[in-house]
Amino acid sequence: MTSSPPALFDRRLLRQRRNRAAGSLHDYDFLLQRAIDDLLDRVESISRDFPRALVLGGGGAVGRALKDRPRAAAKIGQLIETDLAERLANDVCVDEEALPFADESFDLVLSPLALHWTNDLPGALIQINRALKSDGFFACAVIGGASLKELRQSLMTAETELYGGAAARVSPFADTVDMAGLLQRAGFAMPVSDVDRVTVRYGNAFVLMRDLRKMGETSILADRPRAPRGRKFFVRMAEIYSERFADADRKIRASFEIIHAGGWAPHPDQPRPKRPGSATVRLADALGVAERSAGEKAGG
């Protein structure tokens, strides 16, 4: 009997932190809103309607965004918005790793900034594919692998300098090629992906970490260090961050990647790919959507 590999993420902790962030999330959701805008651009670009749609994650933000997006709203009939956290679930609380929906239940599934926290992403994608009707469309946005590289380096340098070694304190994420390949493995037809790179500027590293807490996006690694580091460690980390990643005005840069990926539930009339493993088309090109330019947010 083989045992399953240990879980990378503590999803119970994720639920707790998202519930805690529920009251303030709307004030710190600029990355979520950017991701949702892109997802709805893609919905608008498709020349068909979606009578029944499911949203995984987002805390009800898709429904709110549709109030200002009449073209997208006109394409979507019944909208069911879910979230792992009870306080953020607009319609029903759902674990993305164990979907409770029957096969072929939806014409459209969207997931804004939720699936990067799943322990079994291939399994979650397979379940989403099953929940789609034939020729149904799926699009998601996840945090990409180069996100928070400055914070990651600063934490590791400070911990090594002060304590002689460093623990993982920022979660690993997927990259663009990973997502296209995973969609193909999960049985999606015509899988495509692209990346939106965003540089956000803050007054200092402590303001960045505050925003991450308010977003509910702090690390939930299952094997994270349990003993907290003291003030000396975080002050040194902030110093290193400012020394290495500040602009002339002394504001620091924080890099984020939002990876967009999408695909279709198989249907006999769909075109077939030229060869296996050829999912290299940019999602923006495939759907005729202009790629988003990097944005900037000034920290306090």
Side-chain angles (χ1 to χ4, degrees):
M1 180 178 179
T2 60
S3 58
S4 58
L8 179 62
F9 300 122
D10 183 343
R11 289 181 61 79
R12 180 185 300 179
L13 179 61
L14 174 63
R15 178 182 287 111
Q16 291 174 353
R17 289 185 174 173
R18 285 188 62 76
N19 275 322
R20 188 181 307 153
S24 60
L25 183 63
H26 187 64
D27 296 323
Y28 296 88
D29 63 351
F30 61 95
L31 285 178
L32 176 63
Q33 291 300 327
R34 186 183 183 98
I36 290 173
D37 283 345
D38 239 320
L39 291 175
L40 294 181
D41 284 347
R42 302 175 200 281
V43 170
E44 289 179 358
S45 71
I46 298 171
S47 58
R48 56 170 291 189
D49 294 337
F50 302 98
R52 197 160 188 254
L54 172 69
V55 179
L56 299 173
V62 171
R64 292 192 294 272
L66 284 172
K67 295 177 181 178
D68 298 318
R69 300 288 297 262
R71 285 186 57 201
K75 290 178 172 290
I76 296 174
Q78 181 186 16
L79 181 69
I80 299 175
E81 293 188 276
T82 75
D83 201 279
L84 177 68
E86 295 87 347
R87 292 187 62 192
L88 288 169
N90 201 45
D91 294 310
V92 60
C93 186
V94 165
D95 185 341
E96 296 89 358
E97 294 188 335
L99 299 184
F101 306 107
D103 292 356
E104 300 187 13
S105 295
F106 300 98
D107 305 279
L108 172 69
V109 177
L110 301 175
S111 181
L113 301 189
L115 294 177
H116 54 274
W117 291 127
T118 55
N119 285 304
D120 182 11
L121 181 53
L125 293 174
I126 289 171
Q127 292 182 63
I128 291 169
N129 196 351
R130 290 174 178 168
L132 279 168
K133 296 178 183 178
S134 181
D135 206 31
F137 183 61
F138 166 66
C140 69
V142 299
I143 299 297
S147 297
L148 298 174
K149 59 185 179 183
E150 302 91 352
L151 178 61
R152 193 190 314 268
Q153 292 178 28
S154 300
L155 286 166
M156 291 182 65
T157 302
E159 195 162 21
T160 300
E161 178 184 303
L162 294 175
Y163 306 105
R169 295 182 179 274
V170 179
S171 300
F173 301 116
D175 63 28
T176 311
V177 176
D178 288 337
M179 287 304 300
L182 287 174
L183 285 173
Q184 192 169 46
R185 284 173 51 194
F188 284 94
M190 298 176 287
V192 288
S193 63
D194 64 13
V195 60
D196 178 19
R197 293 182 175 88
V198 188
T199 298
V200 188
R201 302 200 316 138
Y202 290 93
N204 55 61
F206 296 108
V207 180
L208 165 61
M209 292 191 294
R210 178 208 64 191
D211 270 25
L212 293 174
R213 286 194 300 272
K214 296 292 187 179
M215 294 176 195
E217 291 288 345
T218 50
S219 176
I220 56 163
L221 286 169
D223 62 350
R224 66 195 179 279
R226 294 305 197 269
R229 293 298 191 189
R231 181 177 182 274
K232 180 181 179 181
F233 166 63
F234 289 103
V235 168
R236 183 58 186 140
M237 178 277 296
E239 290 174 347
I240 293 169
Y241 204 131
S242 294
E243 291 166 2
R244 296 187 178 183
F245 304 110
D247 292 325
D249 60 1
R250 298 185 180 181
K251 288 185 176 180
I252 62 169
R253 301 182 301 277
S255 298
F256 292 92
E257 282 186 342
I258 303 175
I259 296 176
H260 287 271
W264 298 84
H267 186 276
D269 293 336
Q270 290 169 344
R272 295 184 180 182
K274 294 180 179 179
R275 56 182 176 81
S278 61
T280 59
V281 180
R282 294 173 63 257
L283 185 57
D285 292 341
L287 296 180
V289 179
E291 186 173 4
R292 301 285 296 276
S293 59
E296 182 174 288
K297 175 179 163 50

